[in-house]
Amino acid sequence: MSRLPLSNFAAAAALAAGLAAALGGCTGAVLGGGAAAGIGVAQERSVGDAIDDTTIATKLSAALLDDSFSLFRDVDLEVVEGRVLLTGKVPEMKDRLRAEELAWKVKGVNEVANAIQVTSEGGIGSYARDVRISNELRLAILGDSRILGINYSIETVGGVVYLIGIAQSEEELDRVIQHARSIKGVKKVESYVRLKDDPRRAG
């Protein structure tokens, strides 16, 4: 199971590694104490928003665990500018609704997108495939010079790719979606990405 801090840190680490390679002798400025600040500048959201999102994710993860270990285990989450995306698989509808209820109770949450699937299907094979899809897509968008990959978070559940983040343009978002659709095993792509000039971001 991947949670927001892990997926974002993976993308951040990949970006930092790329910057380190590009800067050569200046790697200390990237990988040392200034790494977080550098990543914050690269992201479309502010450093403050990124910190707030991490706080929300941490509190929601704790709330899920306090409520039920199975809920904590089965539900994945991503947070971008106070918008929470819930994904994963749960056995009953009441679990899906409970996860959303807990999300709304966390201070700072202004929107909840509940994409949790209610199903008993799954298993190790399905999980491995989903991890592969997410990893392939992360590599694809981080390797595409026309996409600012640090602004996207990815979850894959049952072959469905869920995207959340901030796109520089419609064209960039289309490229991300096309990368996702080209990966073997992807059944569908659901986007919760907003454009950087979306007026709702100002709120």
Side-chain angles (χ1 to χ4, degrees):
M1 180 177 66
S2 63
R3 293 200 172 277
L4 177 138
L6 295 180
S7 59
N8 277 358
F9 288 167
L15 177 66
L19 289 174
L23 294 175
C26 299
T27 54
V30 176
L31 299 179
I39 291 167
V41 171
Q43 283 189 320
E44 188 62 42
R45 63 179 174 178
S46 68
V47 173
D49 282 338
I51 293 172
D52 288 344
D53 289 342
T54 300
T55 300
I56 290 171
T58 301
K59 289 182 177 179
L60 179 51
S61 291
L64 291 169
L65 181 58
D66 286 344
D67 188 82
S68 164
F69 177 75
S70 61
L71 204 59
F72 172 80
R73 177 195 63 205
D74 296 339
V75 175
D76 296 327
L77 60 101
E78 301 285 350
V79 186
V80 178
E81 295 184 331
R83 295 187 297 128
V84 178
L85 171 61
L86 300 174
T87 59
K89 295 180 180 179
V90 295
E92 298 184 48
M93 179 59 73
K94 66 180 180 64
D95 300 318
R96 184 178 191 271
L97 297 175
R98 180 57 176 163
E100 181 173 343
E101 180 184 2
L102 291 171
W104 277 116
K105 290 182 177 180
V106 177
K107 183 178 180 181
V109 172
N110 54 56
E111 182 180 318
V112 178
N114 191 345
I116 298 171
Q117 300 175 19
V118 179
T119 178
S120 58
E121 298 179 357
I124 298 298
S126 177
Y127 174 78
R129 180 194 60 197
D130 290 342
V131 170
R132 174 187 58 79
I133 289 171
S134 291
N135 288 339
E136 284 190 25
L137 181 53
R138 288 189 184 101
L139 287 174
I141 66 176
L142 286 172
D144 189 330
S145 62
R146 295 167 65 182
I147 298 173
L148 193 55
I150 193 66
N151 287 322
Y152 293 85
S153 293
I154 303 161
E155 292 286 353
T156 306
V157 182
V160 180
V161 175
Y162 300 95
L163 303 170
I164 188 171
I166 305 165
Q168 300 297 297
S169 64
E170 288 280 6
E171 179 184 5
E172 183 190 76
L173 178 55
D174 287 343
R175 289 185 67 83
V176 174
I177 292 173
Q178 287 306 314
H179 277 304
R181 288 175 175 166
S182 70
I183 295 174
K184 182 180 179 181
V186 172
K187 299 176 181 177
K188 183 169 63 170
V189 180
E190 292 192 12
S191 174
Y192 297 89
V193 176
R194 283 184 178 167
L195 298 180
K196 70 175 184 178
D197 58 358
D198 189 316
R200 290 173 294 180
R201 292 189 62 223

